[in-house]
Amino acid sequence: MLSILGFLTIIVFTILVMLRKMQAFTAIIFVPIVFAVIGGFGSQIGEFAAEGILLVSDTAVLLLFAILYFGIMMESGLFDPVSNAILKIAKGDPVKICMGAAILAILVALDGDGTTTYMIVCSAMLPVFRKLGINPLILATLAIMALGIVAGSTPWGGSATRAISVLGLDASEYFLPMLPIMAGGIIWTLITAFILGRMERKRLGLTNEQLRQEVKTQEETASTAQNAVQARKWVIYFNLFLTLALMALLIADIIELYILFIIGFAIALVVNYPNLQKQREVMKEHAANAIPVVSLVLAAGIFTGILQGTHMVDSMAEDIVSVLPDNFGSFYTVFIALIGLPLSWLMSNDAYFFGALPVLAEAGNVYGVAPIEVARASVIGQTIHLIGPTSAPLWVLIELVRTDLGKLQKFSIIWIILSALVMILFGLLFGGISIG
């Protein structure tokens, strides 16, 4: 009975979200409550929900202040010097331009927001791509890969945030072993940029005169952008130092992530905006981006608390494990990473992480696989979600590069699948996920 109620909870939630009959925020609260009442747990719903919210409270705070922090960094022009340097170094060479675009996308993806990443990368690089006649689908593919690998894997990015919150995990414990996996994905993104750039260089057959003309255009563009930020150059250097310090402390694991970003945001706010009125305006502006996501994480805590408190998750896991081969457990994390490719492409992030992942994690417990390894494995294939129909930022990217969904999917899917395989390999090599 509990197993049936659990599966119905996930199925109904998934259908409502994917068909856009309800927002994820409302569906993730109402659906488990309804089925908990049907199962006779009505009097305990408050207790279960409170326990679930406690599980995700640290993640919610982390996400709030990480979004606020990186919002200030983007607004201050932290990555403008990087963009300008790319334009100067590239000198009209498609290989260098593609490599530079990949590096810029990787850095900007730290923000965790897909729309922001696509807009910044395309604003900086798309005019250069079009001037030289380089296929803009290359830029779109590199931006998607960077976003999925970097933003999807960090505790303040969409995919990992959902995995951490729904399983009640510690963000630091999740993230440090994830770094080599991210490194593998980043290396593959750069390799992809090099390969695609070489292909474009050969296809275009650019003459030396064309390259010289493009160098002149790029230098003029970079000079104009540099003049715009010259007056606040010291602020950019300070923000760079602050961001590097935060990353160093994060890796050293000497303080909780959410504490780091609370302090980092406070410092960034005071330094970048000494005026009190401006500080209030900036907080209000960036809070508009953070609050919906934080609200969703807290709602996910209710969902998780009810499924765990009623033991629906336990019953579903037992049923799943009963139909799997006995020796399957040794490869369970690899299975999660691979099954995540089609599931995340078809399902929204909310449906996949809030609906399917808790069941997969509980099934992993039976095989002795820790939920934290299941969480890491679940985000490895998330780049493919970004070319699926349920990815909202994708439609912004399609409009920016003036293409259609079919063309973009056909061009990018092989590179994205290969990136997932590379990340699985790095995870196995460095212990982020394991076999046996």
Side-chain angles (χ1 to χ4, degrees):
M1 177 63 178
L2 285 177
S3 180
I4 294 173
L5 289 175
F7 282 117
L8 286 174
T9 299
I10 293 172
I11 291 170
V12 171
F13 167 74
T14 302
I15 291 173
L16 289 174
V17 172
M18 292 189 70
L19 296 182
R20 298 187 179 184
K21 298 298 183 183
M22 291 183 73
Q23 294 185 45
F25 174 74
T26 52
I28 206 170
I29 294 173
F30 293 148
V31 173
I33 289 176
V34 169
F35 283 101
V37 171
I38 294 173
F41 298 97
S43 62
Q44 298 172 277
I45 287 176
E47 177 187 346
F48 297 154
E51 291 174 355
I53 289 176
L54 285 176
L55 285 175
V56 302
S57 57
D58 289 358
T59 300
V61 175
L62 165 65
L63 187 59
L64 171 62
F65 286 96
I67 291 174
L68 292 174
Y69 177 83
F70 282 110
I72 289 179
M73 294 299 105
M74 294 298 174
E75 194 170 274
S76 71
L78 175 61
F79 299 111
D80 287 352
V82 178
S83 178
N84 296 339
I86 290 170
L87 294 176
K88 289 181 178 179
I89 294 171
K91 297 187 181 300
D93 184 357
V95 175
K96 293 178 181 178
I97 291 171
C98 290
M99 293 286 287
I103 292 170
L104 179 63
I106 289 166
L107 292 174
V108 176
L110 283 169
D111 171 70
D113 180 71
T115 301
T116 301
T117 298
Y118 293 154
M119 292 184 70
I120 291 175
V121 173
C122 289
S123 296
M125 302 304 301
L126 194 56
V128 180
F129 271 66
R130 285 178 174 156
K131 179 72 175 179
L132 271 180
I134 302 174
N135 188 352
L137 290 176
I138 295 176
L139 181 62
T141 298
L142 296 176
I144 289 168
M145 291 175 67
L147 183 66
I149 292 164
V150 178
S153 301
T154 56
W156 55 86
S159 301
T161 296
R162 288 170 171 85
I164 292 169
S165 61
V166 79
L167 298 181
L169 304 175
D170 178 83
S172 299
E173 187 181 355
Y174 155 84
F175 188 48
L176 292 180
M178 195 71 196
L179 290 174
I181 299 176
M182 289 175 60
I186 289 171
I187 290 169
W188 176 249
T189 301
L190 296 175
I191 291 173
T192 300
F194 179 80
I195 294 172
L196 293 175
R198 287 288 297 268
M199 292 168 62
E200 284 299 282
R201 181 199 283 169
K202 182 178 180 180
R203 182 182 70 84
L204 293 169
L206 293 173
T207 65
N208 290 334
E209 180 60 32
Q210 286 173 309
L211 289 175
R212 282 194 294 269
Q213 182 61 37
E214 184 53 34
V215 169
K216 183 179 179 181
T217 302
Q218 291 175 15
E219 288 177 345
E220 290 173 354
T221 302
S223 177
T224 302
Q226 183 65 27
N227 291 335
V229 300
Q230 190 67 31
R232 290 174 53 82
K233 193 172 183 179
W234 73 270
V235 176
I236 293 176
Y237 281 126
F238 177 85
N239 288 339
L240 176 61
F241 171 78
L242 178 61
T243 302
L244 292 176
L246 283 178
M247 294 301 107
L249 290 171
L250 183 153
I251 294 172
D253 193 24
I254 59 177
I255 188 172
E256 293 291 341
L257 281 180
Y258 68 91
I259 298 295
L260 272 179
F261 277 102
I262 290 175
I263 297 172
F265 169 68
I267 295 172
L269 185 65
V270 171
V271 172
N272 284 266
Y273 306 99
N275 181 274
L276 295 181
Q277 179 60 32
K278 184 61 176 177
Q279 289 178 11
R280 286 190 285 268
E281 291 174 1
V282 168
M283 290 185 69
K284 186 175 181 180
E285 176 186 351
H286 293 296
N289 297 324
I291 294 302
V293 183
V294 174
S295 300
L296 186 57
V297 170
L298 294 174
I302 296 176
F303 184 92
T304 303
I306 291 176
L307 259 65
Q308 291 183 351
T310 58
H311 299 290
M312 291 182 191
V313 170
D314 299 323
S315 297
M316 287 186 288
E318 289 174 4
D319 287 350
I320 290 174
V321 172
S322 67
V323 299
L324 296 176
D326 293 337
N327 61 350
F328 187 76
S330 298
F331 305 95
Y332 193 74
T333 53
V334 176
F335 165 76
I336 295 298
L338 293 176
I339 199 66
L341 293 173
L343 287 180
S344 60
W345 186 84
L346 291 168
M347 302 169 70
S348 69
N349 264 346
D350 297 324
Y352 176 64
F353 285 102
F354 297 146
L357 185 60
V359 180
L360 296 172
E362 194 63 30
N365 279 332
V366 178
Y367 291 116
V369 179
I372 202 161
E373 286 200 28
V374 175
R376 295 188 196 115
S378 70
V379 304
I380 285 176
Q382 281 306 293
T383 303
I384 202 168
H385 166 74
L386 298 175
I387 61 170
T390 61
S391 174
L394 175 64
W395 304 106
V396 176
L397 180 62
I398 287 173
E399 179 65 24
L400 288 170
V401 299
R402 298 175 188 173
T403 187
D404 60 59
L405 180 60
K407 288 180 181 178
L408 180 57
Q409 288 177 335
K410 183 178 179 180
F411 184 88
S412 62
I413 191 166
I414 296 298
W415 304 105
I416 288 173
I417 291 175
L418 288 174
S419 72
L421 297 178
V422 169
M423 292 176 74
I424 291 172
L425 178 61
F426 270 67
L428 294 173
L429 288 175
F430 293 97
I433 59 176
S434 59
I435 290 179

